[in-house]
Structures are given as C-alpha cells and as structure tokens.
Amino acid sequence: MRVFLTSLALALALLTACGGALGSEAGGGEVEEVDEGDAMAPPTPLTLPSLDVDRDSLSEGMLFGWELAEESFDFDRPPAPPSGATDDYQAWADEELATWIERKTTTVSAARGELDQAAEESLRQRIIAGALVGLMYESIGRALRSLPVPATIQTDREIAEVFRSILVSQARPYFGFATRAYDACRQNALGGPAGMRHWSDYCAARKDYLPVDE
C-alpha cells in the first residue's frame, strides 16, 4: 500500500500546483441496517445467508477465522480532514489513512490464513470461507475506491481523472481477490450440502455487484 500512498501524493501535488481543493467524502456515517442474505448491501458479515447448522458446531479454526474476519470490519476508514486543503489531506493520508490500511490489511491477512486452513476441513466451511474472504476484500476495495476526489472535477477534468484513476487502479486487485473468492463460494455451494445451496446465489450476486472500472 506504500505505492498507493506515493501515487496519491503525486496526484495531490498536481492539485496543489493548480490551486485545487478537495471535495467532501461521499457517503460516510453509520452503516445502514442490513438483512441476512442481502447481496446488494454494503460488504459486511451481517449480510451472510443463514447456516444449515449452528455456528458453534463449526471447527475451532473456522470460528476463529470468522471472528478475525468480523474484527476486520471494526476498523472504520478515518474521515478526511474537513478543511479540504491538500496539505491537510496529504498529512491525513500519510498518517491516519496509512495506519488504517495497515491495520485493516493485517487483520484481513490473518483472517484469510485461518479461513484457508478451515476450508480444508469440510465443504461447508469452504463455502463460508469463500464468502467471508470475498466480503473482506470487497470492503477494502470499496473503501479505497470511494476516497474523496478533487472538488475541481468540473473545472479541471484532466487532473481529476488522474486522481480518480489512481483510486480505481489501487482498488482493482482487491476486487479481483473478491471475485475469485465469491466464485469459489458459488461453485462449492452448488455441490455442497443441500441446506447451503442458497449461498451460491448470494455469492454470485455479490460478485455481480462488484464495481466495474469506468
């Protein structure tokens, strides 16, 4: 992610040279309530479909990986500075944003390690692990892609597009990881326990809901 912050710094330098300011962050605030199995809701484990067994009946490794996955969603992306000044924004990116990225990706990596091992223990756990991994990577991708963009997008479209393209390109690998995880979940659910077949539709829908590069 250090490459991302360097690219962001270059874009901000362009904005500063042109006297640009930064717009406010789209969205934000508390996450709306979501329903179980809602594949169109923001990525969170709360949207997972119902299980055909009690969660406590899963292996210890699976439960631990699931807990780590849930923990990764506790790290809210820090809000951008309200001033809109590029110097303030760069300081925020170098400190608060960088710290958030490090904590988020470290927790996601730890969760994936546990989930990958648990997935080898049963087909049911393989289905769940695929969905959780997809949600974690989708969450990172959406958080990066939705970072505040320059307010000069209407007056200096070329520079704004450079800034936007950096966000899109840095989010792309995470959406790629999410795509593969959702695909694995979908395929495993099709041949898995009868009570888990609806997970196939969920993972297929989440994959289709992923952003497409402009």
Side-chain angles (χ1 to χ4, degrees), residues 140-212:
I140 297 176
R142 289 189 183 278
L144 295 179
R145 187 185 174 97
S146 64
L147 282 169
V149 295
T152 54
I153 190 170
Q154 294 181 352
T155 58
D156 203 329
R157 189 175 184 83
E158 183 177 352
I159 294 178
E161 288 180 352
V162 169
F163 190 94
R164 176 66 176 168
S165 68
I166 290 173
L167 302 183
V168 171
S169 66
Q170 295 301 318
R172 187 179 298 120
Y174 294 102
F175 290 132
F177 295 147
T179 294
R180 290 190 286 275
Y182 287 142
D183 267 339
C185 167
R186 178 187 63 81
Q187 294 172 5
N188 287 321
L190 284 174
M196 294 288 288
R197 299 286 169 79
H198 58 299
W199 284 63
S200 178
D201 292 336
Y202 170 82
C203 287
R206 285 227 69 99
K207 175 189 171 184
D208 291 341
Y209 180 54
L210 294 174
V212 177

Side-chain angles (χ1 to χ4, degrees), residues 4 16 21 67 72 93 110-111 135-136 175 209 213-214:
F4 165 67
T16 301
E67 289 176 3
S72 75
L135 288 168
M136 288 190 294
F175 290 132
Y209 180 54
D213 290 350
E214 295 97 349

